[in-house]
Amino acid sequence: MTGPSVVIIGAGVVGAALADELSARGWTDVTVVDQGDVPATGGSSSHAPGLVFQINGSKTMTEMARYTVEKFVELDSFHQVGGLEVATTPERLAELHRRHGWAASWGIETHLLSPEESVARHSLLDPGTVLGGLHIPTDGLAKAVKAVDAQLARARSRGVRVLPRHEVLDITTEGGRVKTVVTDHGELPADIVVCCAGIWGPKVARMVGMELPLVPLAHQLAWTGQVPDLAGQTVEASRPILRHQDADLYYRERFDTLGIGYYGHRPMPVSADDILSVDEAEVMPSVLTFTPDDFADAWTETRRLLPSTRSAKVEEGINGLFSFTTDHLPLLGESRDVAGFWVAEAVWVTHSAGVGRAMAEWLVDGHCGSFDLHECDVNRFEPHQIAPDYVRARGCQNYVEVYDIIHPLQPMEEPRPLRTSPFHVRQRELGATFLEASGWERPQWYEANAPLVAGRDIPTPGDWAARHWSPIVAAEAQATRENVALYDMTALKRLEVGGPGAVAFLQRLTTGDVDKAVGSVTYCLLLDVDGGIRSDVTVARLGPQEFQVGANGNLDLDWFERHRPADVFVRDLTPGTCCVGVWGPKARDLVQPLTRADLRALRYFRGTRTHIGNVPVTMLRLSYVGELGWEIYTTADLGLKLWDTLWEAGRDHGVIAAGRGAFTSLRLEKGYRSFGTDMTFEHDPYEAGLGFAVKLDKGDFIGREALLARKESVTRRLACLLTDEVVMGREPVYDGDRPVGYVTSAAYGHTIGRAIAYAWLPASLATPGRRLHLGYFDRRVEAVVAEEPLFDPAMTRLRG
């Protein structure tokens, strides 16, 4: 098997890894082209300092880094000196404990060190400056150019062609798919083109009309002269690579000198179109002239942290170009518009081999089995998120925040606001505190509800969990259970699916049986071919060939478009519509007088089209807070009228507006899962407790065959835990001293009066009554597995 004809553009660490991984899987009709020489091509890989710190808040990114380390060790391209992150402030010390928790969650060995132990690991440190450290034994120095050479050599031995000094001038297409790659040495036929061009990625992608949300930014790396305490050192590095994140700095040894990387300077973005060619560049295209003034603070802080450098000097430096995206994550996957054009972009050396493996599996097998790629898929973005000004602004801000301590709820600051629902003006009048979701301004709570706090028993969470929180959140949650509340659900992605083949199409894509009477609503899942969950959706049948799908984001739209036959259309309704959730025991009392529809006859998981006052609406009897009520949709132009109509009618029933904080608390009390947090591509329905959404007897659907096998071999489960303290997610779960899982969603349950955490556990431990512990910063928090749902298990409130 030689596979299809593949052209990989870019022979840096990503392109080399992909060529190696593809050829190892039997695809040998592969050509790698690069405008530069090989293995030092002149891109970011050629000047990368090579520090590999594996720990990341993303499980996927950590796993790809771990694979990269393992592969580079095998290739003799990795100097495993370990990694050391140090704290010089109490806030950073707490953050190191959190990062230690991530490591335990994702299965990476780490050790928390005292100041003395930190200095023992890295003798250049000032003992009086360091408050503690985090040691990662398997971190170290990647030899990027050597790794490129080794991987390309293996690929060549299997028949892969490598063509240096071939500049890509164009990519031709025919019938909506790639045809050839045009170089300055001629054309290369291609069934598949993979863009691994790094900082040139946006320029290459535009050859097929694809806007890549990536911005190259200059990053400072300097080298000292001889450091006295390193004098005479005959090995390149004997101490761990070092991160001083409080000052945006990292360090690595080079025999008797020290390399210093700095993220604390002003962002210096560069257009991909302005990067010099290999022959024009003085050093290499990815290396710009060092700007000493930008480095001044870094050098001052270095001499404070590492006293031995006080008698040394900065001898040389570069402003090296690296790729940044709008959300810190890579860009992987196939163009939605041009079949066969794939990208593997914004990938640093740390994750390069992991990305190579992920892309090879995706190309050869049709899906990636080793890593969950939902957060890396290039098609994840909303249209506004690929606007050039947005990409530049967010890329620059992410550069500034590379080493910042980021709270899980921390919203982006700029550019905002971008997307506002028609209710926004009323929400501001009610004193909404807004966070952000896919560009939407989404209320977290409302200051107008502050009087509701009085007389309620509302525990205050710890300092970390109390950020972006207010006791008003608890009052709004309890008031929803007591009376009725309006929730802005406009940020929920809404798709219209229709046409002669709509029923067959949805039957094929979803796990549920959607071929029901008009007015039915079905909760179901989208699966990949391996049975992994791609999303959970609601499918409302509004006509014989018309459906409204409540989806999770742009990846769902992309999935639908990729599988859509010619007799089906799919439209994104979200920008032109809005949604308000009306929920609580008095919801019917509020809404029924406003409509001629018989709401008592509208049963749970049914929908109808009607009017609320003068506003035409679609009403779906759904509730993610576990209370009686409806999701009510209308067009954006009538949204404000809908809100005002409901609000005025609700005054006599004690109606409030409630925010996302209350929503999350109520959702977890009811045990409702959130895709992307509680379950992702790597989990199947039976593990996630969603087997009820799978109708195996309805006929074939994507993932069904794989699911039959997975159903009989469940080894882990998503479990509900009751805890003694509110945590925030991604914390490790321990059985004794053994890490056994990790937290997904967490919040305080203001109805049941307990903190709740959902977590992935071995199936043998996911039994009610089992006592475990959560690792939360420097503490262990007691937890017990509970039966779910915690609230209204008989569903009487939802069905009433």
Side-chain angles (χ1 to χ4, degrees), residues 470-699:
S470 165
I472 297 171
V473 167
E476 290 177 358
Q478 292 175 356
T480 302
R481 296 270 190 242
E482 296 160 0
N483 294 309
V484 61
L486 305 186
Y487 286 81
D488 183 356
M489 301 299 291
T490 301
L492 176 72
K493 178 71 95 175
R494 295 171 291 285
L495 307 177
E496 180 186 11
V497 178
V503 174
F505 170 65
L506 289 169
Q507 290 288 77
R508 171 70 176 153
L509 250 64
T510 72
T511 61
D513 184 1
V514 302
D515 192 7
K516 301 174 183 176
V518 171
S520 64
V521 183
T522 307
Y523 175 80
C524 43
L525 307 171
L526 307 179
L527 303 182
D528 213 329
V529 293
D530 66 341
I533 300 171
R534 289 195 60 95
S535 189
D536 64 337
V537 298
T538 55
V539 180
R541 190 168 197 174
L542 302 180
Q545 300 173 348
E546 181 186 359
F547 295 82
Q548 179 174 305
V549 177
N552 280 295
N554 238 37
L555 286 186
D556 294 347
L557 174 60
D558 180 66
W559 188 250
F560 275 44
E561 286 286 2
R562 289 183 187 280
H563 292 86
R564 178 181 62 83
D567 61 350
V568 173
F569 67 83
V570 177
R571 298 193 187 107
D572 185 357
L573 300 174
T574 317
T577 56
C578 58
C579 177
V580 57
V582 185
W583 294 317
K586 295 183 180 179
R588 189 180 287 116
D589 298 335
L590 189 163
V591 180
Q592 183 62 83
L594 302 174
T595 181
R596 293 184 178 181
D598 183 354
L599 298 185
R600 190 165 291 279
L602 189 66
R603 303 187 307 277
Y604 187 50
F605 265 77
R606 297 286 296 178
T608 189
R609 282 174 166 156
T610 183
H611 288 80
I612 298 294
N614 294 316
V615 180
V617 298
T618 298
M619 297 181 65
L620 305 182
R621 189 169 167 190
L622 307 175
S623 171
Y624 278 86
V625 302
E627 293 291 339
L628 170 69
W630 303 268
E631 293 176 356
I632 305 178
Y633 301 86
T634 192
T635 51
D637 59 322
L638 290 168
L640 185 58
K641 183 62 176 177
L642 173 63
W643 180 280
D644 288 346
T645 301
L646 292 167
W647 187 261
E648 185 61 32
R651 290 181 184 275
D652 294 339
H653 303 286
V655 71
I656 65 165
R660 191 69 178 187
F663 178 93
T664 300
S665 171
L666 299 172
R667 171 181 78 80
L668 291 179
E669 287 184 331
K670 196 62 185 155
Y672 291 144
R673 278 68 166 138
S674 174
F675 177 80
T677 303
D678 296 315
M679 71 277 192
T680 65
F681 290 4
E682 67 177 301
H683 305 113
D684 72 49
Y686 302 108
E687 298 171 330
L690 297 174
F692 68 88
V694 179
K695 306 304 178 186
L696 291 172
D697 58 353
K698 72 158 186 173

Side-chain angles (χ1 to χ4, degrees), residues 7 9 33 166-173 179-190 193 207:
V7 175
I9 301 173
V33 299
H166 278 60
E167 182 181 358
V168 174
L169 304 176
D170 197 8
I171 300 168
T172 67
T173 62
K179 181 181 179 184
T180 65
V181 174
V182 182
T183 79
D184 56 355
H185 289 280
E187 295 189 1
L188 302 170
V193 176
M207 294 176 183

Side-chain angles (χ1 to χ4, degrees), residues 97-98 100-102 104-105 727 729-734 743 773-782:
H97 282 277
R98 186 166 74 121
H100 177 63
W102 291 346
S105 292
V727 298
R730 300 178 180 172
E731 295 84 5
V733 182
Y734 291 93
V743 173
H773 289 86
L774 310 183
Y776 191 52
F777 292 96
D778 59 348
R779 304 187 302 282
R780 292 290 181 92
V781 177
E782 291 188 1

Side-chain angles (χ1 to χ4, degrees), residues 340-361:
F341 184 78
W342 293 69
V343 300
E345 289 290 348
V347 181
W348 294 2
V349 174
T350 298
H351 311 101
S352 58
V355 167
R357 179 176 183 173
M359 292 297 296
E361 290 179 355

Side-chain angles (χ1 to χ4, degrees), residues 13 122 238 295-296 339 402 412 462 520-521 541 544 565 584 624 725 800:
V13 283
H122 203 295
S238 61
F295 196 73
V402 163
M412 71 178 190
S520 64
V521 183
R541 190 168 197 174
Y624 278 86
E725 185 173 353

